[in-house]
Amino acid sequence: MSTEILYSWGPGESRLAVVRDGRLVDLAVVRPGSLAGAVFLGRVAELAPKMGAAFIDIGQDRPAFLQGVKGLTQGQAVLVQVKADAHGEKGATLTPDISLTGRFLTFAPTRPGLVVSRKLGEDRARRLAERLQAIVLESEGVSARPQAANASDDYLAADLTSLRVEWETILAGRAAGKAPALLWRPDPLTRLLADHAAIARIVIDDDETAAQARARHGSVVERHTGPEPVLAAIEDALEAALAPVVHLACGGRVAFETTAALTAIDVDSGPADPAEANTQAVPVIARQIRLRNIAGQMVVDFVSGGGKGALNRLVAQLKQAVSGDPVATHVIGITPLGLVEMTRERKGPSLFDLMNERHVGPSVEAQAFAALRFALAQAPHHPGPALTLTVSPAIAGQLVARGQAVAEAQARLGRKLSVVAQAGRTNSDWTLEVAR
């Protein structure tokens, strides 16, 4: 099977898709507000001794939550990493245990020891451990993923060296003592490479991003040159991952509905045999919760019939189907009402929350970033020293609040881009013209 990463850079928002034999298998939508994995020098805003926790100011709208650290004092600077982004009315969740992810290795500088994936088997794990012991210091913590076994010694050493440099950068930021401060954030491309072995190529649609990726990952990186956008081939799959219903080949369907408490997943057989619909639904559910980045509690309502034995078999199949998800996903069991309970660790906002506002439709933020993409795509047809992007007042307000994204667009354009609000326009109505 041929696996590739398609990387579409955009001002304020980039999209990365893992495609295997033409089929979308993983997706990342990256924005500045997506902070899972980022390392901060935070400041203790409030102590919560009864909870054994503290609220930490990391420069966001709401303080983040840190639990299990003793001896903190009000106003103290503390080095932390974001375990999960802010969600709803809750701030981000933090950990004091820093870990930096590379392509083959995870570097944990505060937890010494060498860990090799048990998925390799005893002999391969032992050989990999022997190779790593030659380059890992006793004071360092390093975990090796299964794909590390197929990497050359040079690649392993380069990965470890890069992680050490990133850690030194973090330490320098901590020494500066300016809290709150963002000291490091994970590279989304490196994360996808870590999660997926044997990537044949990485296709990127932006010169600067491609050059940076090629410097780190070598000749596997290619600059996209086709007439269509780099993600054009999977646009239908992206749209399907936002739809509330996914249709099954047998004629049945799977419906996804997320509430504040949990996500309900309902299997409907329609005209099909219930057992066939249930069987087809299992891989669809596993794939969709990963593409949609659904997290927290989930319940699956399979089509009834076949008794408890049939439901137990579906649970076993579902456990196998989610076993390859790099985000911790657990199939808990069957409730007295015959629902299958699942949980998935929360790492960041769901795809739906990124792209939509619940009960409203496409989010203004998502449409604002789409307007900037439109400007970059249309700019070659409008030669001139400066451009004007005319949008609705709501989109203009979003772009004013996200000045860095507009600055990124101007840098790529090499000319000034002015944003003008025009009353009466819808949020999806944008025009670009040469500035007068």
Side-chain angles (χ1 to χ4, degrees):
M1 293 186 292
S2 175
T3 305
E4 60 185 3
I5 295 176
L6 307 181
Y7 190 157
S8 178
W9 178 89
E13 179 189 274
S14 295
R15 300 180 181 185
L16 297 86
V18 179
V19 179
R20 183 172 296 124
D21 289 340
R23 188 169 186 259
L24 180 65
V25 297
D26 207 351
L27 177 67
V29 177
V30 183
R31 294 179 184 168
S34 302
L35 297 174
V39 177
F40 283 86
L41 184 64
R43 190 170 298 282
V44 178
E46 182 182 350
L47 297 172
K50 291 184 178 179
M51 302 169 64
F55 292 94
I56 309 296
D57 177 13
I58 59 171
Q60 305 301 302
D61 293 339
R62 294 183 294 275
F65 184 72
L66 176 65
Q67 193 168 31
V69 178
K70 299 179 180 179
L72 296 179
T73 57
Q74 193 90 12
Q76 177 184 348
V78 57
L79 191 66
V80 291
Q81 187 167 32
V82 178
K83 286 179 62 178
D85 280 319
H87 178 68
E89 297 300 315
K90 297 180 180 179
T93 304
L94 306 176
T95 176
D97 297 322
I98 310 300
S99 62
L100 311 180
T101 301
R103 182 172 182 179
F104 306 107
L105 308 173
T106 297
F107 187 65
T110 62
R111 302 191 303 279
L114 176 60
V115 178
V116 176
S117 174
R118 291 177 294 180
K119 294 180 180 179
L120 289 171
E122 186 175 344
D123 289 343
R124 294 187 73 202
R126 175 182 52 78
R127 289 195 296 271
L128 177 57
E130 290 173 351
R131 293 167 60 201
L132 290 171
Q133 284 167 355
I135 60 173
V136 175
L137 303 178
E138 289 186 6
S139 59
E140 295 176 332
V142 172
S143 298
R145 283 180 294 280
Q147 53 265 45
N150 299 320
S152 68
D153 290 346
D154 287 344
Y155 272 116
L156 293 177
D159 204 30
L160 182 55
T161 298
S162 176
L163 293 170
R164 285 170 175 158
V165 170
E166 290 172 348
W167 176 238
E168 290 299 323
T169 301
I170 291 170
L171 292 180
R174 182 177 67 177
K178 296 180 180 179
L182 173 62
L183 303 183
W184 177 85
R185 64 190 309 159
D187 173 33
L189 178 56
T190 299
R191 179 190 70 80
L192 286 179
L193 286 168
D195 291 342
H196 298 273
I199 296 295
R201 63 177 189 153
I202 302 166
V203 185
I204 303 177
D205 65 357
D206 175 69
D207 287 335
E208 185 175 322
T209 305
Q212 293 170 351
R214 192 175 293 113
R216 182 162 188 173
H217 302 295
S219 60
V220 71
V221 177
E222 300 178 12
R223 174 65 167 91
H224 176 65
T225 57
E228 295 292 326
V230 68
L231 296 181
I234 58 162
E235 281 297 335
D236 289 346
L238 288 173
E239 288 297 322
L242 287 167
V245 172
V246 177
H247 294 280
L248 302 174
C250 65
R253 66 178 200 163
V254 182
F256 297 81
E257 183 174 354
T258 299
T259 69
L262 53 78
T263 296
I265 303 172
D266 179 64
V267 182
D268 180 2
S269 61
D273 175 70
E276 178 65 17
N278 284 338
T279 300
Q280 288 190 12
V282 168
V284 169
I285 292 168
R287 176 174 182 251
Q288 289 295 325
I289 63 174
R290 182 169 177 173
L291 290 179
R292 296 165 187 246
N293 198 26
I294 297 173
Q297 300 178 16
M298 292 171 272
V299 292
V300 183
D301 186 9
F302 285 106
V303 186
S304 60
K308 191 172 182 180
L311 194 53
N312 283 332
R313 286 190 293 274
L314 288 170
V315 168
Q317 292 167 15
L318 192 55
K319 287 181 178 179
Q320 179 61 35
V322 302
S323 63
D325 194 329
V327 177
T329 306
H330 303 285
V331 181
I332 308 301
I334 304 169
T335 72
L337 292 177
L339 304 175
V340 177
E341 290 184 301
M342 301 176 62
T343 63
R344 189 169 185 267
E345 187 176 357
R346 192 178 304 280
K347 290 291 187 180
S350 70
L351 181 65
F352 183 89
D353 288 339
L354 279 172
M355 306 305 293
N356 293 281
E357 294 177 16
R358 203 166 298 280
H359 308 306
V360 175
S363 76
V364 181
E365 182 181 32
Q367 289 173 309
F369 291 135
L372 288 181
R373 284 179 175 271
F374 167 81
L376 263 64
Q378 293 298 313
H381 305 297
H382 300 279
L387 295 168
T388 298
L389 178 64
T390 304
V391 297
S392 72
I395 296 297
Q398 285 285 327
L399 292 177
V400 168
R402 289 155 180 79
Q404 181 59 38
V406 178
E408 290 175 355
Q410 289 185 139
R412 290 300 197 274
L413 290 169
R415 45 185 164 156
K416 182 175 176 58
L417 176 66
S418 299
V419 177
V420 174
Q422 185 179 75
R425 280 184 180 258
T426 65
N427 291 343
S428 58
D429 181 15
W430 324 301
T431 57
L432 185 74
E433 59 187 358
V434 177
R436 297 194 178 97

